[in-house]
């Protein structure tokens, strides 16, 4: 933000900035690359004309995008995105996995916390597994699973996100371990192929939008009876609703681990592991994240600290 505040903008960029309803700068922590998106009501000639000058003036900018055709009054990015200068994507890297992300892609903004979520889930990926990734987006978690040798079947409603997931799989050399399928999750899970994949899965991973999942999707998952479900939620209320459904279908809650994805706000990301009591014996990994010390608050700095082997609860997974 500071770099952009210090930018010296040419006078010809003013019409484009005035025309914009929203201005979004998406930056990559790993590469320092930034794509700036100007969201307007319709295609903006002012944005097209100002694109090269804006990219030259903004430090780290590799592209300027004009986004329009908003599907609601609350939308920040439109359904149509046109690159008016430079590139349309930035490249991010988390835990050794490379991601190319466009302006319209859903991608977690706090990559440090995503890295912590990855680190937490590694305890359940000590050997290759068969994983179904529902609401997979551009492959953020699917490619992490593939990196650890797992075979992943991803489902995502947005065709653009699926195309990016496939490109990111090629970028990392994971094409043989990760496949992606476009369509509404509640529709795809009822298809014959998806029903069989769910039945064969050792882990079903869900990372739904804030509204949570739905009865059709959760019912299809429960009917397939995978031994493990990992549910990552950004809304505690819909998480509680969906967990109640899964528990009623025979699942037991293992670990509930919050992550502070949006510091100094009321929002929290929560990972919950569930398993079936009738699956194989439970494996508890007691030293997941053993090398991460407990936080020490200033007023407690001189007080004796309790001895612990883990910052997190035991990680629970059942193997078949």
């Amino acid at each position: 933000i500071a770099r952009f505040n210090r930018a010296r903008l040419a006078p010809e960029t003013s019409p484009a900035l005035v025309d914009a309803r929203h201005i979004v700068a998406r930056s990559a922590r790993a590469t320092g690359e930034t794509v700036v998106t100007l969201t307007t009501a319709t295609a903006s000639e002012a944005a097209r004309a100002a694109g090269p000058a804006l990219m030259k003036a903004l430090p780290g900018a590799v592209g300027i995008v004009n986004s329009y055709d908003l599907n609601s009054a609350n939308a920040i990015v439109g359904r149509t995105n046109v690159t008016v200068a430079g590139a349309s994507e930035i490249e991010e890297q988390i835990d050794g996995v490379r991601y190319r992300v466009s302006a319209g892609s859903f991608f977690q903004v706090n990559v440090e916390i995503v890295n912590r979520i990855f680190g937490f889930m590694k305890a359940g990926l000590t050997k290759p597994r068969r994983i179904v990734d529902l609401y997979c987006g551009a492959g953020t978690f699917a490619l992490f699973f593939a990196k650890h040798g797992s075979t992943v079947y991803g489902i995502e409603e947005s065709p653009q996100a699926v195309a990016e997931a496939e490109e990111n799989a090629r970028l990392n050399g994971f094409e043989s371990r990760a496949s992606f399928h476009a369509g509404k999750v509640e529709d795809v899970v009822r298809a014959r192929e998806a029903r069989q994949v769910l039945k064969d899965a050792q882990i079903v991973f869900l990372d739904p939008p804030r509204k949570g999942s739905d009865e059709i999707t959760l019912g299809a998952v429960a009917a397939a009876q995978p031994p493990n479900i990992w549910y990552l939620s950004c809304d505690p209320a819909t998480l509680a609703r969906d967990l109640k459904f899964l528990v009623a279908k025979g699942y037991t809650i293992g670990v509930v681990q919050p992550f502070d994805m949006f510091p100094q706000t009321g929002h929290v990301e929560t990972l919950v592991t569930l398993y079936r009591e009738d699956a194989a014996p439970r494996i508890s990994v007691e030293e997941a994240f053993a090398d991460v010390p407990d936080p020490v608050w200033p007023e407690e700095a001189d007080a004796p600290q309790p001895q612990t082997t883990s910052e997190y609860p035991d990680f629970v997974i059942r193997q078949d």
Side-chain angles (χ1 to χ4, degrees):
I1 293 175
R3 289 184 301 160
F4 279 69
N5 286 340
R6 293 195 298 268
R8 296 179 178 273
L9 300 181
E12 60 265 30
T13 64
S14 295
L17 300 179
V18 170
D19 198 25
R21 292 188 176 185
H22 304 285
I23 300 174
V24 178
R26 168 166 272 182
S27 297
R29 184 82 169 185
T31 62
E33 297 174 342
T34 300
V35 168
V36 178
T37 300
L38 307 178
T39 300
T40 54
T42 59
S44 171
E45 286 300 322
R48 183 180 296 276
L54 278 172
M55 192 173 74
K56 183 177 179 180
L58 297 174
V62 297
I64 307 294
V65 173
N66 177 209
S67 177
Y68 57 94
D69 188 21
L70 297 115
N71 60 4
S72 72
N74 295 324
I76 303 298
V77 177
R79 288 173 288 197
T80 302
N81 295 278
V82 177
T83 304
V84 297
S88 62
E89 298 176 328
I90 57 173
E91 183 170 316
E92 187 60 273
Q93 187 173 132
I94 310 175
D95 195 43
V97 182
R98 298 168 64 191
Y99 301 92
R100 287 183 182 155
V101 184
S102 70
S105 298
F106 173 79
F107 193 82
Q108 298 284 9
V109 296
N110 192 333
V111 296
E112 289 85 355
I113 293 298
V114 174
N115 192 53
R116 294 293 295 274
I117 297 173
F118 281 1
F120 183 68
M121 291 194 297
K122 282 180 185 177
L125 300 170
T126 54
K127 69 177 186 179
R129 304 188 187 279
R130 297 183 300 275
I131 300 178
V132 176
D133 183 353
L134 305 180
Y135 315 96
C136 67
T140 305
F141 290 93
L143 298 180
F144 164 73
F145 298 143
K147 177 196 171 186
H148 287 271
S150 294
T151 302
V152 189
Y153 184 99
I155 303 174
E156 165 59 40
E157 179 177 355
S158 167
Q160 178 186 347
V162 168
E164 291 188 7
E166 292 172 339
E167 175 58 30
N168 286 328
R170 287 189 290 270
L171 180 66
N172 288 276
F174 298 155
E175 307 99 308
S176 64
R177 296 199 295 272
S179 61
F180 301 95
H181 308 270
K184 291 185 176 181
V185 173
E186 60 268 31
D187 294 335
V188 177
V189 295
R190 289 183 286 185
R192 179 182 299 178
E193 180 185 52
R195 290 202 309 269
Q196 186 60 50
V197 171
L198 284 170
K199 186 177 294 186
D200 293 338
Q202 295 166 308
I203 302 168
V204 173
F205 176 76
L206 299 92
D207 183 15
R210 189 168 297 278
K211 66 179 181 180
S213 191
D214 59 88
E215 189 170 351
I216 293 174
T217 300
L218 295 177
V221 172
Q225 298 189 353
N228 302 280
I229 297 174
W230 296 355
Y231 192 130
L232 184 64
S233 169
C234 58
D235 185 272
T238 57
L239 172 63
R241 179 200 67 203
D242 292 351
L243 292 180
K244 182 178 179 180
F245 181 98
L246 292 169
V247 168
K249 295 294 184 179
Y251 282 88
T252 298
I253 294 175
V255 172
V256 179
Q257 178 58 57
F259 292 88
D260 195 5
M261 182 69 76
F262 305 102
Q264 300 180 23
T265 75
H267 300 287
V268 65
E269 203 90 359
T270 307
L271 176 67
V272 180
T273 67
L274 301 100
Y275 61 93
R276 295 192 64 86
E277 291 285 1
D278 54 4
R282 190 178 93 172
I283 296 175
S284 296
V285 182
E286 297 185 2
E287 295 190 357
F289 261 76
D291 58 335
V292 180
D294 285 342
V296 178
W297 303 108
E299 62 270 20
E300 300 175 351
D302 298 326
Q305 298 301 310
Q307 297 299 311
T308 180
T309 59
S310 174
E311 179 182 356
Y312 298 115
D314 292 353
F315 194 93
V316 177
I317 185 168
R318 285 180 173 260
Q319 300 186 33
D320 52 10

